[in-house]
Amino acid sequence: MTTLQSRTHRVLIMTTLISMALFVVFYVIAAMHYPGGSYVAPSHPGFSFKNNYLCDLLDEQAINGASNSAHTYARIALAMLCLSLFIFWNWLPKLFNRKNKSLTIMSMAGMLAMVTTLFLASGLHDIISRIAGTFGLIALLISFVELYKAHYYSLLVLGIICMLLFLTNYYLYETDILLDKLPAIQKITFIAFIGWFALLSISAYRKSI
């Protein structure tokens, strides 16, 4: 990798980290502006970590019937997340010394997952989630194989934990089992994934120096 390529790679990694941080900031702001209501407690004021889904913040009308002043901040947050992870899946193959077709498939699947996720606020939440989730799962599984081959064992274990959390979310949502626990599990999953993506980004940044 030339000096210019290394510098460009580092810029992309830093853009990923900054965009992920902005996602968190804007979602916190959105949660602070949410009027209230959840499917468990429709009249509950404000945003509930326990009962509200993150997607509740995207709707123009809150569950309690009020106009949702949080939706603009939430959509900016979603855009920041998709931007950060689109860039992430674009540069991730450079973390590995071995180049193969699997890395190209991983990168394309990850980027398609993020492009699809942008449409979560379109009113087709379940369909969009399933399509994006399928692309994301393909990207994750390939990344695990490559992390194993490259001896990034700690990052591999953390990634598998994130995937298990992701699959737990999907299972609970589709079966309605422990559905009252799902909003909290969803947020724990997001925190875990953001932490994993950040650690991968830091590892890639160190390698590019």
Side-chain angles (χ1 to χ4, degrees), residues 2-202:
T2 65
T3 302
L4 179 59
Q5 288 174 327
S6 296
R7 190 175 301 164
T8 302
H9 190 206
R10 288 196 294 271
V11 169
L12 289 174
I13 294 169
M14 288 305 300
T15 302
T16 298
L17 289 167
I18 292 168
S19 297
M20 281 194 290
L22 288 173
F23 159 73
V24 174
V25 169
F26 276 101
Y27 245 116
V28 169
I29 294 172
M32 292 171 63
H33 283 79
Y34 185 69
S38 67
Y39 295 104
V40 174
S43 61
H44 186 278
F47 185 81
S48 168
F49 180 92
K50 179 181 177 183
N51 296 322
N52 280 108
Y53 295 98
L54 294 176
C55 291
D56 293 343
L57 299 174
L58 294 168
D59 298 330
E60 294 188 10
Q61 182 174 318
I63 294 174
N64 67 2
S67 176
N68 182 16
S69 57
H71 83 277
T72 299
Y73 300 108
R75 292 181 184 187
I76 293 172
L78 179 63
M80 290 295 101
L81 177 66
C82 292
L83 172 64
S84 67
L85 297 184
F86 184 91
I87 296 172
F88 170 87
W89 289 113
N90 177 266
W91 62 250
L92 185 61
K94 295 181 177 64
L95 177 64
F96 307 106
N97 295 323
R98 296 163 52 119
K99 307 303 176 188
N100 53 54
K101 291 182 180 178
S102 294
L103 289 173
T104 301
I105 295 171
M106 176 193 74
S107 183
M108 292 299 298
M111 290 190 289
L112 283 170
M114 292 305 101
V115 171
T116 306
T117 301
L118 274 173
F119 295 93
L120 269 179
S122 66
L124 299 171
H125 176 275
D126 288 0
I127 295 174
I128 296 299
S129 295
R130 290 179 183 124
I131 295 172
T134 300
F135 283 130
L137 192 58
I138 292 169
L140 284 174
L141 290 173
I142 296 174
S143 74
F144 294 162
V145 173
E146 297 302 327
L147 286 169
Y148 178 80
K149 290 178 180 177
H151 308 296
Y152 289 107
Y153 299 126
S154 296
L155 289 170
L156 171 62
V157 171
L158 291 173
I160 291 173
I161 292 171
C162 289
M163 186 185 72
L164 291 174
L165 284 169
F166 167 77
L167 292 174
T168 299
N169 276 262
Y170 182 76
Y171 178 76
L172 296 183
Y173 185 77
E174 293 294 337
T175 62
D176 289 344
I177 296 173
L178 297 176
L179 199 59
D180 60 319
K181 308 296 181 186
L182 185 55
I185 295 172
Q186 181 200 55
K187 296 175 190 66
I188 292 169
T189 303
F190 263 83
I191 292 168
F193 264 109
I194 288 172
W196 184 59
F197 289 136
L199 288 172
L200 278 168
S201 300
I202 292 168

